Structures are given as structure tokens and as C-alpha cells.
Amino acid sequence: MDPIIRLEHVWHIYSAQGERPIEALRDISLRIYPGEYVVILGRNGSGKSTLAKHFNGILLPTRGDVWVKEWNTKDLQHKLAIRSTVGLVFQNPDNQIVATIVEEDVAFGPENLGIPHAELRRRVDWALELVGMTPYRYRPPHHLSGGQKQRIAIAGIMAMKPEVLVLDESTALLDPRGRREILDIVQRLHRQEGVTVVAITHFMDEAIWADRIVVLDEGRLVMSGSPEEIFSQPDRLRDHGLDVPPVTELARRLHRHFPEIPPAVLRVEELVTAVRDLYARRFVPTAMHSETAQQEHRP
Amino acid sequence: MAEKVVDIQDLEYWYMQGTPMEVQALKGAHFDVYRGEVVAVLGHTGSGKSTLIQHLNGLLRPHKGHVRVLEYDLTDPNVDVKALRRRVGLVFQFPEAQLFERYVGDDVAFGPRQLGLSREEVRERVRTAMNAVGLDFETYKDRFTFSLSGGEKRRAALAGVLALRPEILVLDEPTAGLDPEGRRLILNLIRRLKEEWELTLILVTHDMDTVAEMADRCFVLADGRTVLSGTPREVFAHPEVLRELALDLPHPTEVTHRLAATGVPVRPDALTLDEAETAIRHVLANGSANT
């Protein structure tokens, strides 16, 4: 399968007048394939937001190339095609709201793509439904919660029918409820609508849902692998200013004493099941064990 | 028993009172803090947390109920709010957004300069506060504030409040937006400051792991009322209430609670990873809960 986004030896150097140039990205090569869910992790200042802005040509590489499908982002005549293929949701919902009524805000993007009116209506209805904000369509957006505003921002992007959704720390400013709302929606868009997702975050527990994790530090791509592979290397992660999710850390510690408990557990349910099974095997030869056996045979 | 430094009872507060837009933010909150404690305020966005803490240094005045902070009675219209604000430091969420001076040293000095102190005294306070947050005074005082990293800016903002030498420090979401390393650094810094400066700490946070690790007691607010209070262990023993309020449990508590719910006789109330590890190792080795 051809990648939908391809970065070839991308460097990005910020040079302000009279200041030392900053190498924000250093020789990044990365491919994103259709249907993938990729999480990019990195500490503050690692270059991950600069990277996000390269995915749809908001920033252009100082050296190297970014390709979206067959279009080079440096080729300005493809700008519109690129922007409607790769949609970007930013960190601060307040900076993304442009209209005074929710549905007008959602319509803003596709309207600028020149979508005809009837189709525009359909898309806005569909996008509002996707993020569960239909009841708020006639409300002014500034009274909504952070999570709701971010859902509106996602609806506005989705109404442009992008193939790739890039989330640039889109949950960082939200409270736990808002974060959960956004994560649920993004996972649903990925599963049900087949949207390719690239999520940039420094919340480790958001990364466990990824097909692939990419770790950035000092502008370089330093680790890449499945969540299990990445989170089984806590020392390397800590060297890059990151950490493993607390549940993984707990499983790792228990694994040292009870090898039956897998060391790279990512989710609470997995750890609970592993401990419960081990307990049942050791202490409850009858009732609980059979129940466990049934659970194990569940698909 | 230690001195009670904050005593709030039956507090009610309305925004835009007397207009059609009137909203009641607090509907009978209670809250108290003893000297030297670390107290956490928990609650969902819109629960009234921010309204509550703005009463602690007189930014808001109670519409109904009783608020006493140190010896200041906030229901008294003639209370000396200026004196109160020297003793209660409030660090807002994302305080880095509030730096406004050109140079770091000037920004930290802004507060103490309002206190009518001598130049030497201001300088000394700025030096101590900057060094305390890990921004070396000589290195950083003449840096441009905008050239600092996000973490450094947050520490500079904290130094600006510390330079007032408060007895009570209120921190609104001190770890918001920080990566794991930044979070660890700021929490260690807060712990150290509490000891060295003998502070009373009030933390407003969504980060339940921080609450579990640091707080002596916590108060849970919902819809303008205090709905739960006690030690973290007492409060987190009510997962069903917390879940209903869309609040999380600390990760270790979540694991031990769920294990207990499946019938494993594990001690369910672990607060930290160490406690969860001990409880689970014990039940797996002995088949029964540790006490």
C-alpha cells in the first residue's frame, strides 16, 4: 500500500533575525499509511508541533520533502487538495472558532472549498452528528465547554471529508471528561469512518490506542514501534522525558515477582484479568477458575 | 491541634447577580484547612472550584455564608484585603500566560515592589524566590521573559507569587499541560517549597495521582456544593460517587478496586503504585489481603 503522507529527510530550522537558528526538526523520515492510528509522543519542545504542521503544508520543510499522496507540499498549486486531504485540529479550541453560531462554524471550512449549498448542508448535519453536537447547532460556541468546542473544531474538519485527521495536542487543555469525549470520538472516526489518525500528545495513556507510536526528542525521531514495544522500554522513555502509563509500570513491577503477569500490559482490564487469573490458579481451584476459563474463551 | 487557617461554611455565590444572566456558582460549599496541610480541591469544570478559591484571597466576597482566612473575616466589608493578599498567594492555571514584564527579574519583582519595600529587600526577595524555583537569579534575571521555555515560564510565575512570602499557597492545576518530566519536576519543587517555606498548600487539580501522592485531605465539589471530604483514602473509597461526577480514581486505586470487584480478596484502597504493588503481591503470595 502507498503511504498517504511521506516525509523524506525533513529538516525544519527556525531562524529569527539576530538569534541563533533553532533546528526544530532534524532529518525526519516517516510514512503514514491509510487507515493507521499513529501517536507521536515527545516532551515539551521536542518538535512535535512543528512536525504536525508539516503534515498539511502549514509549515514547509527547510530541507527535505513532504508528500501528501502524490503532491509535494512545496508545490503551492496543490495546497487546496492537500488541505482537504489532511485536516489539522489544534491545541486551543478558542483559537479555532470563527463563527458566532455552531453550525456556521462547522460550515466554514467546506464552504471555503466551494462545496455547493445542498451538499454543504448534508455535510454539516453529518459532521455535527458524528461528534454528538447536533443539539447545539444553533448555539453560540463561546458558551460551550472546552471539550464541546474541540468537538466543534473536529466537526469543522470532518465536514471537509479529509482522509487524515491530525490532532496537535488537541486534548492538552481539556479536563478529564473533555479528554475522554475527544478520545472516544477520534477512536470512533478511526474505526467507523476509516479515517487515518495522527495524534500528537504527551499523555501516555492516550498512546495505548495507537497502531504505532513514534517518539520525538530534540527534533529527531528516536523510537518507533507498537505500544507494547515502546512501553516495555521505560528507561529509554524516561531518557526522552516521557514515562510509561502507571498501569504498565505496576504490571512491570509485578512481573518481576510473578512471571505469569505479562510485563507490557497497557490497559487496566488486562492487568485485572491477569492478576485475577493467577490468583484463581493459585488459590481457587474450583468455582472462580471455571469462570475465568470461560472468560478466556471469549473472542 | 494545628491552627485552622481557612474556614468556609455554607458559602453561596452568584455571578451577574440580579440580571437575567444570573448563575449560582456556589450553593453551600464548605471547606477548611489547617496550618501546614496539603489540601486538594477536586471537581469537574463548572463545579465551583475556581469560584471557591477566589474567595481565599478576597478576589471574590461571599454573598452568603461564612469565610474566614487566617484572621480575616471576608464577610466584613472593611476587611484588609491587601494584607490578606500578602499572606495568601494564588497561582492561576497556566500562570505563564500572565508574565508581562520584559525581563524575568522585573516580572518576579512586580509583587514585592507593590509592598513598599526597600530596593535591597525587593532584590533579596526576588533572588530567594527565583533560586527557590530553580531559576538561578544571576543567570535568569536579565533574560527576556518570552525567551523562557514553557516550564521555565511557569516557574517564573510561581517565583513572582513566592516573592510575596505567602503563608498559604493556592495552586490551580499546577501540572496542566506539562509532559511527564515537567510534571515530576514541578511536583517535586512544590513538595520542597512546602517544607522549606513552611507553606500551607491548597491544590486545585484533576490529576488524581497527584492528589493520592500529595494531599493530606481533599474536598470534592459538584454543582456548587461540597459532596465529599476526607483523606484521599476516604474519598477514593467512593468510586461510584466519583464516577457519577465524571472524576477519575488514581490509577493504582482503579486497579485494586476493580480487582476487588472481581472477587480477589485484595486490599482495595491503594493510593500509590507502591501500595498497589504491595497489596497485589500480598494477595498473590498468601491468598488473602494485607492489613
Side-chain angles (χ1 to χ4, degrees), chain B residues 224-235:
Chain B
R225 292 185 184 87
T226 305
V227 291
L228 278 176
S229 63
T231 63
R233 215 181 291 285
E234 288 162 355
V235 166

Side-chain angles (χ1 to χ4, degrees), chain A residues 29-40:
Chain A
S29 293
L30 176 67
R31 284 157 190 233
I32 308 288
Y33 290 90
E36 266 198 305
Y37 192 140
V38 178
V39 164
I40 299 176

